[in-house]
Amino acid sequence: MKMVVLASPVSTLQALSFSDSSPPYKLVHDHPSLTLLSNCKTLQTLKQIHSQIIKTGLHNTHFALSKLIEFCAVSPHGDLSYALSLFKTIRNPNHVIWNHMIRGLSSSESPFLALEYYVHMISSGTEPNEYTFPSIFKSCTKIRGAHEGKQVHAHVLKLGLEHNAFVHTSLINMYAQNGEFVNARLVFDKSSMRDAVSFTALITGYASKGFLDEARDLFDEIPVRDVVSWNAMISGYAQGGRVEEAMAFFEEMRRAKVTPNVSTMLSVLSACAQSGSSLQLGNWVRSWIEDRGLGSNLRLVNGLIDMYVKCGDLEEASNLFEKIQDKNVVSWNVMIGGSTHMSCYKEALGLFRLMMQSNIDPNDVTFLSILPACANLGALDLGKWIHAYVDKNMKSMKNTVALWTSLIDMYAKCGDLAVAKRIFDCMNTKSLATWNAMISGFAMHGHTDTALGLFSRMTSEGFVPDDITFVGVLTACKHAGLLSLGRRYFSSMIQDYKVSPKLPHYGCMIDLFGRAGLFDEAETLMKNMEMKPDGAIWCSLLGACRIHRRIELAESVATHLFELEPENPSAYVLLSNIYAGAGRWEDVAKIRTRLNDNRMKKVPGCSSIEVDSVVHEFLVGDKVHPQSNEIYKMLDEIDMRLEKAGFVPDTSEVLYDMDEEWKEGVLSHHSEKLAIAFGLISTKPGTTIRIMKNLRVCGNCHSATKLISKIFNREIIARDRNRFHHFKDGSCSCKDYW
DNA sequence: ATAGGGTTAG
């Protein structure tokens, strides 16, 4: 912005006397119309008072006008646009009027207007004073205008106002909040005024930018620590994710007998929420709130809801949520985000729908909370709607990079890789997360070369890959069975990038070793892992035993699985398949008996398909869908046409390869086939069918779907537990390797 | 007559 350079410090001071018609000062001050202002709550009342003031001639006094402007611009019941229009009618506004106006603008939604008025004030001949600058620096803080702030700083020096305590603190705050710590410290150190407030301004700057050690050092130096100083530290630790320290500081604050306030509690609740396991402290805060009659403070209630939801008590969160009369965007966001956080994706979608019905404008946080739910459920239509909304309302969104990244992730997980890539290519500014989303997107769709190519592009553009990047890279190798490449990435990850492998990284390597038949190497890696292998790793090893017909090894691997997850039937199913493959029918029968005797927690196979924005779900052999009759008729047609095309269902699989959908019987009624049948009858010929499945697709369904894509001339995109399959023209993108 | 430091959601 253009800044007017100030004339001489003691230039034209305007006469501040009241106009001739004004009554004596004391009378003006006591006038009943002005007393009324302090109780005024609505714009209408304000207008009445204003006309009263005009009738009595008081509007000719700067005093009355300044009171009116103050009320309209600064009071919470005021009206800034009324203040602006009133201000335009004032011929020679005095300092007080200018300052009220600027203060009102600085705390408004358009803080840059305060700077415009500041320039206007100077050019119209009124010199800013010590009351003006705090508001101006506040505006510079809000608009991140360190450059403008520096120019105004020069004005302060010219006018000799740098020793005023208020100007001093707001100046430090402006620099510190803009990350200009050198300048902030310069101002701070040059002054003899090392009072608690300016200390705190500096501390807050450091703490809010994550420089908690610097903040801590200063905090130890403050002569007197008040509640705001404590809050600055607690909030800094909470925002920096250092929740233990935030809570410890809170304890210390209580020991120091400093009375906490609402702000303190908001930070404490945030820390409790992030820890995910601090219900005790959270409940204590709740009683603190209720004891003080603050139960209807929306910020506090929202904080409580967030705390409950993240600590796993969705019920208590919902109770509080439903009791709120005037929910705001944060209330909803907290509930949606919490539901997504707890993997309650359908609830998240329901809450979002409720939010739209309640005419509450969603913001970037809303979308960042709801998009992962869309991605998980495969709710592509809602995802597309959000995409269009974001496009249209880009200007009001703050975290655009995160939003685009989340959209990439959603499109990739909903099966539309092309749109994901288009967004990626359009992004001028990318974050590490953006690259990660795109790399794992390509990886899960089996585009191994593209994923790996993107990885080298990202490093050559100066991005440093993290553990998530390598999950994507190693997954890409896993899906293509690229053992030696996988090995190279794995050791590069550890040696070049100092990323210590976690379970998913080990999982990819063990899967690669197992499928290659290198069981010794798999075993060595599993022994040397810092953590215990989880069920998924044992399962993938068991799967490898099946491919390589290693029956004895399979038995020992299965034993581990039985111990680790006694309620998980998949180990039994896999082992029985291995026995069946070797023709050991007696062992198969034994396993079946154990399966039936033990109480297994069956994970039902479930497939979903979205049609016209509605997600339809199908379980194995499901007959509850309202269009069940038509669906089963279509299933019959599919089977008939499959048979005609020469498809022979693998009867050994019918008997024994029930995979994770054990005991559910007839293969042709597997959930994915129901979903495909529904897709065929409810979407236009030739259009792509997208289905999502919670488990791995079984061998028989995989072969059937390949043929269905050819017979019905449909591209079928299926997401299973591990990856995407693109069925087209009789073949699948996974090349039967999955 | 007016003024400074803080505040939940990803």
Side-chain angles (χ1 to χ4, degrees):
Chain A
M1 79 176 285
K2 243 172 114 178
M3 220 12 112
V4 173
V5 176
L6 215 61
S8 96
V10 261
S11 66
T12 53
L13 262 172
Q14 295 246 309
L16 286 171
S17 58
F18 295 107
S19 58
D20 294 341
S21 61
S22 61
Y25 170 71
K26 210 174 170 227
L27 274 178
V28 176
H29 188 263
D30 294 340
H31 198 282
S33 302
L34 297 179
T35 327
L36 278 173
L37 264 184
S38 54
N39 290 321
C40 172
K41 294 259 190 302
T42 65
L43 188 60
Q44 215 190 345
T45 324
L46 180 81
K47 284 179 179 166
Q48 284 169 1
I49 298 169
H50 190 190
S51 61
Q52 278 273 323
I53 287 173
I54 294 172
K55 267 189 216 155
T56 52
L58 276 174
H59 65 292
N60 286 323
T61 70
H62 274 135
F63 181 79
L65 289 170
S66 76
K67 280 294 168 199
L68 269 176
I69 291 280
E70 179 190 17
F71 178 84
C72 300
V74 179
S75 143
H77 301 292
D79 184 284
L80 193 61
S81 51
Y82 196 77
L84 284 165
S85 50
L86 176 60
F87 183 83
K88 285 195 186 107
T89 69
I90 304 173
R91 229 162 293 152
N92 285 308
N94 65 8
H95 279 89
V96 182
I97 294 173
W98 274 112
N99 289 342
H100 280 314
M101 202 60 236
I102 287 174
R103 183 177 166 214
L105 292 168
S106 74
S107 49
S108 78
E109 298 286 289
S110 331
F112 63 92
L113 283 178
L115 287 162
E116 279 182 18
Y117 271 68
Y118 172 75
V119 173
H120 192 179
M121 175 186 188
I122 295 167
S123 54
S124 72
T126 309
E127 198 168 75
N129 62 12
E130 66 272 31
Y131 288 91
T132 320
F133 289 109
S135 301
I136 293 301
F137 288 130
K138 187 180 185 179
S139 299
C140 294
T141 307
K142 280 170 86 172
I143 64 165
R144 324 231 59 216
H147 181 68
E148 290 84 351
K150 270 178 206 165
Q151 293 183 55
V152 179
H153 186 180
H155 298 181
V156 166
L157 295 176
K158 256 188 183 167
L159 291 166
L161 291 173
E162 72 268 32
H163 298 297
N164 177 284
F166 295 86
V167 177
H168 179 244
T169 311
S170 58
L171 188 53
I172 293 172
N173 189 49
M174 184 275 293
Y175 279 127
Q177 292 290 337
N178 274 307
E180 300 234 353
F181 292 109
V182 177
N183 282 322
R185 279 216 101 114
L186 226 57
V187 175
F188 180 78
D189 291 336
K190 241 173 82 181
S191 163
S192 52
M193 235 181 315
R194 294 164 72 94
D195 65 338
V197 180
S198 45
F199 254 111
T200 305
L202 197 52
I203 290 171
T204 307
Y206 277 120
S208 68
K209 297 277 181 286
F211 299 106
L212 289 156
D213 298 334
E214 285 83 350
R216 178 69 208 261
D217 288 344
L218 282 164
F219 183 83
D220 290 337
E221 275 185 58
I222 310 188
V224 185
R225 298 170 190 95
D226 65 6
V227 60
V228 183
S229 332
W230 284 98
N231 287 355
M233 292 305 299
I234 296 170
S235 149
Y237 281 122
Q239 282 178 4
R242 289 162 67 167
V243 295
E244 300 287 326
E245 284 149 293
M247 291 181 198
F249 249 83
F250 176 61
E251 283 305 317
E252 212 177 304
M253 172 184 184
R254 297 188 54 215
R255 273 201 293 279
K257 301 264 187 286
V258 176
T259 311
N261 61 13
V262 170
S263 302
T264 321
M265 291 313 172
L266 286 170
S267 294
V268 172
L269 282 175
S270 164
C272 292
Q274 288 182 66
S275 86
S277 59
S278 302
L279 266 177
Q280 211 184 345
L281 181 53
N283 280 323
W284 183 88
V285 175
R286 185 183 187 163
S287 7
W288 184 93
I289 291 167
E290 282 166 0
D291 289 349
R292 277 154 195 78
L294 295 168
S296 51
N297 179 317
L298 193 51
R299 290 185 150 216
L300 285 172
V301 178
N302 288 343
L304 277 176
I305 293 174
D306 185 44
M307 181 275 295
Y308 277 121
V309 99
K310 299 258 173 67
C311 292
D313 195 340
L314 211 56
E315 205 182 317
E316 200 53 57
S318 308
N319 286 340
L320 282 172
F321 177 74
E322 272 156 33
K323 271 192 238 151
I324 309 177
Q325 293 291 321
D326 292 299
K327 302 173 174 76
N328 66 5
V329 64
V330 178
S331 322
W332 293 94
N333 284 353
V334 168
M335 279 302 290
I336 293 172
S339 305
T340 308
H341 191 80
M342 302 289 291
S343 308
C344 301
Y345 304 113
K346 276 181 229 157
E347 285 79 355
L349 253 54
L351 285 161
F352 181 71
R353 230 167 271 135
L354 192 66
M355 181 175 182
M356 297 297 99
Q357 283 161 8
S358 316
N359 284 320
I360 293 184
D361 284 339
N363 59 17
D364 44 354
V365 178
T366 318
F367 297 133
L368 290 171
S369 308
I370 196 75
L371 279 170
C374 296
N376 199 284
L377 295 171
L380 182 58
D381 285 346
L382 179 57
K384 281 181 183 167
W385 184 88
I386 291 171
H387 185 184
Y389 190 101
V390 169
D391 256 336
K392 214 190 262 173
N393 300 281
M394 263 263 280
K395 272 179 238 148
S396 63
M397 305 285 165
K398 278 189 200 132
N399 303 289
T400 48
V401 175
L403 265 177
W404 294 125
T405 302
S406 194
L407 281 165
I408 290 174
D409 182 64
M410 182 279 296
Y411 276 113
K413 287 186 178 150
C414 286
D416 202 334
L417 198 57
V419 177
K421 187 179 180 299
R422 207 182 308 147
I423 297 175
F424 180 82
D425 290 337
C426 286
M427 285 175 73
N428 293 320
T429 314
K430 296 181 177 76
S431 69
L432 178 59
T434 315
W435 289 93
N436 288 350
M438 201 65 248
I439 290 172
S440 20
F442 282 122
M444 71 178 97
H445 283 270
H447 295 229
T448 304
D449 294 346
T450 320
L452 298 179
L454 214 54
F455 173 77
S456 59
R457 226 182 91 197
M458 104 172 229
T459 51
S460 71
E461 286 188 25
F463 283 90
V464 181
D466 64 358
D467 54 333
I468 315 276
T469 319
F470 281 105
V471 174
V473 167
L474 293 174
T475 305
C477 297
K478 179 181 95 167
H479 286 163
L482 300 173
L483 174 63
S484 58
L485 206 53
R487 256 196 239 257
R488 286 226 297 275
Y489 281 118
F490 188 72
S491 62
S492 167
M493 167 178 93
I494 299 166
Q495 270 148 30
D496 305 336
Y497 296 103
K498 312 290 173 211
V499 173
S500 26
K502 298 193 178 122
L503 270 176
H505 307 107
Y506 285 119
C508 288
M509 292 314 293
I510 289 160
D511 190 87
L512 278 168
F513 285 137
R515 278 167 188 268
L518 302 173
F519 289 97
D520 289 345
E521 290 203 49
E523 210 185 325
T524 313
L525 195 57
M526 282 167 85
K527 269 191 194 141
N528 293 334
M529 280 164 60
E530 297 81 357
M531 60 294 272
K532 286 209 152 139
D534 64 352
I537 289 182
W538 286 112
C539 251
S540 91
L541 204 60
L542 197 54
C545 291
R546 179 174 152 198
I547 296 169
H548 296 280
R549 300 179 182 273
R550 294 282 298 264
I551 298 178
E552 273 165 44
L553 189 59
E555 284 169 335
S556 99
V557 169
T559 313
H560 279 106
L561 263 170
F562 297 154
E563 272 172 31
L564 199 65
E565 298 178 349
E567 293 188 324
N568 184 352
S570 47
Y572 292 89
V573 176
L574 265 168
L575 191 60
S576 91
N577 288 336
I578 292 168
Y579 285 137
R584 286 167 58 169
W585 310 115
E586 274 179 32
D587 289 315
V588 173
K590 269 187 212 156
I591 294 282
R592 292 291 297 271
T593 315
R594 279 180 73 183
L595 248 180
N596 293 331
D597 290 350
N598 301 5
R599 283 183 137 203
M600 293 293 147
K601 219 184 181 171
K602 183 186 53 171
V603 180
C606 176
S607 298
S608 62
I609 176 169
E610 189 188 50
V611 176
D612 295 330
S613 306
V614 179
V615 177
H616 301 257
E617 282 185 332
F618 297 91
L619 298 177
V620 201
D622 203 331
K623 289 195 174 143
V624 294
H625 194 277
Q627 281 165 270
S628 206
N629 283 339
E630 290 94 319
I631 293 169
Y632 278 87
K633 253 167 86 184
M634 180 44 97
L635 270 180
D636 286 341
E637 191 189 331
I638 292 173
D639 285 339
M640 193 196 73
R641 289 175 70 172
L642 279 174
E643 203 184 317
K644 235 171 121 186
F647 181 74
V648 185
D650 190 335
T651 46
S652 69
E653 282 200 15
V654 173
L655 282 174
Y656 301 112
D657 185 1
M658 286 165 294
D659 215 326
E660 287 149 294
E661 292 185 347
W662 66 287
K663 234 188 139 184
E664 291 297 343
V666 196
L667 272 177
S668 73
H669 295 175
H670 267 178
S671 62
E672 57 265 53
K673 235 170 145 190
L674 288 167
I676 291 171
F678 179 67
L680 285 170
I681 60 170
S682 55
T683 59
K684 287 195 194 97
T687 52
T688 301
I689 292 175
R690 289 191 166 80
I691 64 166
M692 309 280 153
K693 193 185 175 184
N694 64 336
L695 304 175
R696 266 186 51 184
V697 57
C698 83
N700 195 66
C701 282
H702 193 265
S703 332
T705 311
K706 283 197 285 187
L707 211 49
I708 293 171
S709 73
K710 189 175 180 181
I711 297 171
F712 289 85
N713 189 29
R714 294 281 202 134
E715 191 174 341
I716 299 170
I717 298 178
R719 183 177 86 186
D720 76 4
R721 194 198 187 108
N722 286 336
R723 59 168 297 160
F724 269 95
H725 301 265
H726 289 245
F727 299 96
K728 200 184 170 184
D729 230 4
S731 58
C732 177
S733 62
C734 78
K735 301 185 184 85
D736 300 336
Y737 185 94
W738 83 96

